[in-house]
Amino acid sequence: MGYVLKLERLRKTDRIAGKKACSLGELIRAGYPVPPGFVITAEAYVKFLKTNNLETKIKKMLSEIKLDDISHIETVSDDIQNLIINADIPEFIAKDIKEAYDELSVGKDVKGLGGIAFDMIKAGRGSENVSVRPSPVSETDKTFFGHTTLLNVSGFGKLTDAVKEVWASVFSKNALLYRGMRNIERPLMSVIVQKMLEPEKSGILSTADPVSGDSSKIVIESVWGLCKTLNKGLLIPDLYYVSKETGNIEKAKTGKKPFLMKRDPVSGSTVTETVFKEKTNVPSLNENEVKKLWELSRKIEDCFGSQQVIVWCIERNRIFVLNALPLKIASAQDIPEPEKGELIVQGVPSSPGIAVGKIKTVSETKGYFESDAVVVTKNASDEIIDVIKNVSGVITESGGVFSNGAFLCREFGIPMITGAENITNFLKEDQMVLINGLHGAVYRTAYSGREEGIDANEHEQQQKVTVFNEALKKADPGITATEIKIILNGSSVSPETLEKSDGVGLFEPEYMLTESDVNPYEIAQREPEEIIGKIANRVGEVARRIYPKPVWYKGFDLRTDEIKGLEETEEETNPLIGWHGIAKGLEEANLLKCEIEAVKRMYESGLANVSYLVPFMRRVEELRRLKLFMDFPLKLGVMIETPSVALNIEEFCKEGINFVCINLNTLTQLTLGVDKNVLNLSPVYLRFDPSVKELVKKVVKICNKYGIEVSAAGDVLSLPEAVEKLVELGVKSITVKPDIIEKTKSAVVRTEKRLLLSRIRESEF
C-alpha cells in the first residue's frame, strides 16, 4: 500500500488509513455526498519519523513526562511538536502528496496532459482549497482526542506544513493528557485531505440520543458557517430532537449564534465574522432540511449497521457528509432527583448523572479543585480536559451536546450541562448546587445558608447524606457500578441472561472444541478452517447479540488429566502445574493460530467487542511471544492463575494489556498449596483466604494505576461475602455462572450502597 490513497479506494479493513478515512471511503463508494479527497497513510507518518531520526528522541522525552503536572506536559508537548514541524517531509512522500493534490486541484484529465499545458491550466485555476484532518490509526477500537484539524489550506507548501501540524498533534498537550488518563497507546496518524466547502450552515447529528441513549430519536445540532464553532463549544447551537420513525421534529430549541466561522475571500484563511442581529436567534435549519438530514442519517446508519455520529454541512442547498463514526452512548441512569431546592437554570443535557458540589467559577479551565467541585466556565471546549479528573460536574454558558467538552464529560462519566446562558449571574462562588446532567437542570440544595444552632459544615454534610440516601433508595437496583459478567462455554444461552449481564467475562472454548471427541490440536493441524469457523460462528453469534458489550474469549486450555482419550499424553504427577496453558499453545501453535484468526475475522466483520484472554501464564516473556502472532489490533487480557503473574503484574501492564481476569480457583490452589479435588482440603479451598485477598489487592492497585480493568471469577463467588470483599477491593467486574447472576447482583448492590454511605459519613465523598 502506498503513501497516498484516494478516499474512494479505502475499505473499512484498510487499517493503515484510520477509521475516519475508511468510513469516508465506504460512504463515497456507497454513493453518499462526500467531498473528494485523499489520505496520507500512517505508513508515511512512520517513514517521516524514521527518516528524520525522531522516534528515539520522542520516546526519551515521553519517558520523562509527568502526567500530574500540566505545565510539564505542555513543555514536553511543545518540544516534541517543534521537532516534527521543523523536520522535512522526505521527497518520495512529498512527491506522492503533490501528485494527489495537483489531481484534486485540476482534475485527473487535466493532470494527464502534463508539461506546459498542465502548468498553464493549473496557474489559471489555482490550488485547491482543502481541509486537513486527522485519522488516527490504532491497534484498538478506542477513541482518541486532542488532534488538530486545519481548514482552508491552499498551496502545496501550506499543505505540507499542515500535514506536519496534524502529525505533531499526536503529541499535543490534550492528546498526551487524554491518553495518559485513559491509559491507551499512542496512535499512528494518517491525514485526510479533502476539498474545502464553503457552507452556509453545518452541524453534527447522532442516530440516537448520546446523553439518554434513547434510540427512538435523532439529535441534530446546527450553526451558521463552519462547524468549528460547534466543536469548540463557542456558542449555543440550535438543537432538534427528531422522531426516528417519522422524521418529525418533536422538540426544538433555537440557540444563540452571534458569530460564525468562514473562509475570508481575500486572505483565504478561516475568520470569525459577526452574524447579522436578525439571524442570531433565528433557527439555522428549516423543516425540509431537518427532514433531509433525517433521511440521510437513517440510510447511513443502515449502511454501517450501527448507530452513528455524523458531521454534515449544507452548501448551496446541498447536504454533504464530512464524517461518520460509531456512536458511543453515555451510561445514563435516570436516578429520580433527590431532595433539592429551587431550580436555578435550565440548560442543555449534555452528559448524564447527578452531582452535588460547590460552585467554582473559572475564566479558564485550568487548575485543581476539591473532588466535589462543580466547575462553571464559559465555553464547552476541549480544554475541560485539564480539570476533568478533579470535579464532580461541569456547567458551561455556551456549547452543546456535540461540543468537544461534552464528548469528554460523557467519556469520563462527569455530569454536564451546556448552554446555561448567563449562569454566573445566578450563582455565587462556593454555593452548593445539585446538577442533573440527564435533565439539564441546576438546583439550589435544600440547605442554602446557616441555621441557628447548627454548624454550616455539619449541615452541609447532612445534606450530602440526605441527597445520596434518597438517590440510592430510588435508584434502579439492576444497575451497579461494579459490572457483572457471565461465563459461557458455547452452549445455548437465553436472551434474558445476556440482557441482564454486562458482557461475557469468560467464554470457555473447551467444551465447544472437544464436543466431537477429536483432539482440537489435531483438527487445527489437519482442518484449521473447522476450528476457525466454529469459534467465529459460536462466539460471533453471542458477540452480535450483546454488542457493544464485551466478550472475552479465553484461549483453549485443558490439562493432561482433562484431555485424556483425545491425545496420547505422558502422565503427569501434578497436571495443574504441568504442560498446558499458553506455554503449550505457543509450542503447539496451530490451535493458537486458529483462535487468533477466528477473533480477527470477527473483528473484520465489525465485532470489535471480542477480545482474547490468555490462559494460564507464568512469565511476561510468554506475552511477548504471543504478540508475535498478532497482525491486527487484538485486545489482550491476562488470566491471573499463578502467584508469579499476580506478584509481577506491573511488568504485564507495562508490556501492554487491556484487562485481567483473576481465576480465583487456580490462584487459590497454587497460593495455598491445596488440591480442590481432595475432599479433606475443600474447606480451605472454598473460602476467600487472606493471602489470596492480598494478591488480589495488589493486582487491583497496580492495574488501577495503569487504567486496566480487573475482573474476578471462581467457585468462591457463590458466597456473598466473597463478592462483597471483591467489591471493597475495587475490582471493576465480577464474572459468574449465569444461574447466580441475580444473587451476585444483590450482593454487589448492597455492598456499593454501604461503601458510598460510609464515604459520605466519613467526609471523604
Side-chain angles (χ1 to χ4, degrees), residues 183-365:
N183 192 42
I184 54 179
E185 77 289 347
R186 179 194 352 154
L188 302 178
M189 182 61 76
S190 65
V191 181
I192 302 167
V193 179
Q194 280 179 286
K195 178 180 178 181
M196 187 74 204
L197 301 177
E198 296 186 34
E200 295 78 39
K201 55 193 77 173
S202 57
I204 302 175
L205 67 81
S206 61
T207 59
D209 189 331
V211 181
S212 70
D214 187 349
S215 59
S216 69
K217 291 181 175 60
I218 288 173
V219 180
I220 303 172
E221 283 189 331
S222 59
V223 295
W224 300 119
L226 296 169
C227 198
K228 194 170 184 177
T229 54
L230 192 160
N231 294 134
K232 295 293 185 182
L234 302 177
L235 44 68
I236 304 175
D238 298 331
L239 176 64
Y240 305 84
Y241 293 93
V242 181
S243 167
K244 197 168 189 177
E245 183 177 351
T246 65
N248 295 331
I249 300 173
E250 295 184 345
K251 182 182 177 182
K253 182 179 180 181
T254 302
K256 189 173 183 180
K257 310 173 293 299
F259 55 87
L260 58 79
M261 287 187 175
K262 59 175 287 188
R263 177 178 180 270
D264 181 70
V266 178
S267 68
S269 60
T270 304
V271 295
T272 301
E273 182 179 277
T274 302
V275 171
F276 290 120
K277 190 173 181 180
E278 57 269 23
K279 290 183 69 176
T280 298
N281 298 316
V282 172
S284 50
L285 295 176
N286 57 46
E287 287 189 20
N288 185 49
E289 289 169 330
V290 170
K291 201 83 168 183
K292 287 181 178 178
L293 286 169
W294 165 73
E295 291 172 349
L296 182 65
S297 69
R298 292 291 301 272
K299 291 176 182 176
I300 291 175
E301 184 179 61
D302 290 342
C303 176
F304 288 109
S306 63
Q307 295 170 342
Q308 298 285 303
V309 177
I310 301 167
V311 183
W312 55 269
C313 71
I314 298 178
E315 181 188 64
R316 298 178 184 177
N317 297 318
R318 187 183 177 194
I319 297 174
F320 290 88
V321 179
L322 305 179
N323 195 7
L325 288 173
L327 170 65
K328 290 183 70 175
I329 295 176
S331 177
Q333 181 180 353
D334 189 5
I335 299 175
E337 289 170 342
E339 183 180 349
K340 61 183 184 293
E342 170 193 357
L343 175 67
I344 300 174
V345 70
Q346 184 75 46
V348 177
S350 297
S351 180
I354 289 176
V356 176
K358 294 179 182 179
I359 289 295
K360 295 292 179 183
T361 306
V362 292
S363 56
E364 294 184 3
T365 51

Side-chain angles (χ1 to χ4, degrees), residues 698-710:
K698 176 182 176 66
V699 169
V700 170
K701 181 180 179 180
I702 298 298
C703 287
N704 282 347
K705 173 183 171 182
Y706 288 89
I708 293 169
E709 178 179 347
V710 178

Side-chain angles (χ1 to χ4, degrees), residues 469-671:
N469 256 326
E470 288 299 313
L472 287 168
K473 286 178 188 175
K474 299 173 184 177
D476 182 354
I479 299 176
T480 58
T482 307
E483 294 182 347
I484 301 171
K485 298 184 172 78
I486 56 173
I487 301 171
L488 297 181
N489 63 7
S491 56
S492 61
V493 59
S494 70
E496 293 78 18
T497 299
L498 290 175
E499 181 64 29
K500 289 176 185 176
S501 75
D502 291 309
V504 178
L506 268 178
F507 195 111
E508 300 177 324
E510 288 78 13
Y511 168 82
M512 175 179 71
L513 296 184
T514 59
E515 59 187 359
S516 63
D517 291 329
V518 179
N519 185 353
Y521 288 97
E522 293 178 6
I523 300 174
Q525 184 173 6
R526 188 178 65 249
E527 295 288 341
E529 278 299 323
E530 183 178 335
I531 296 285
I532 295 168
K534 181 174 285 189
I535 296 172
N537 291 336
R538 297 272 189 93
V539 180
E541 179 186 0
V542 174
R544 272 187 291 274
R545 288 166 65 184
I546 67 171
Y547 189 89
K549 295 178 184 178
V551 176
W552 294 352
Y553 172 90
K554 181 187 71 67
F556 183 87
D557 183 22
L558 282 183
R559 304 192 304 265
T560 53
D561 60 332
E562 295 171 324
I563 205 168
K564 278 183 179 179
L566 296 179
E567 69 176 22
E568 293 183 10
T569 58
E570 183 178 334
E571 188 169 340
E572 295 177 331
T573 304
N574 193 335
L576 179 62
I577 57 174
W579 183 237
H580 70 102
I582 193 60
K584 182 175 182 178
L586 290 168
E587 293 303 322
E588 300 178 21
N590 288 322
L591 181 56
L592 175 62
K593 289 177 181 178
C594 288
E595 291 179 303
I596 301 281
E597 177 61 24
V599 178
K600 180 179 180 180
R601 291 186 187 181
M602 287 183 273
Y603 177 83
E604 291 178 344
S605 72
L607 296 176
N609 57 329
V610 181
S611 307
Y612 185 85
L613 184 58
V614 188
F616 201 88
M617 304 190 76
R618 296 176 175 90
R619 299 172 299 133
V620 74
E621 288 79 4
E622 293 170 327
L623 180 62
R624 296 187 185 120
R625 288 182 62 192
L626 173 64
K627 287 190 172 185
L628 298 176
F629 289 83
M630 296 163 48
D631 63 353
F632 74 105
L634 174 60
K635 287 182 286 186
L636 280 177
V638 169
M639 180 71 87
I640 298 180
E641 300 179 85
T642 59
S644 63
V645 175
L647 293 169
N648 200 32
I649 187 61
E650 188 156 14
E651 291 305 309
F652 287 86
C653 294
K654 289 178 180 178
E655 192 64 31
I657 55 176
N658 301 94
F659 57 93
V660 303
C661 181
I662 303 172
N663 183 338
L664 293 169
N665 292 351
T666 312
L667 186 62
T668 299
Q669 292 181 84
L670 294 180
T671 301

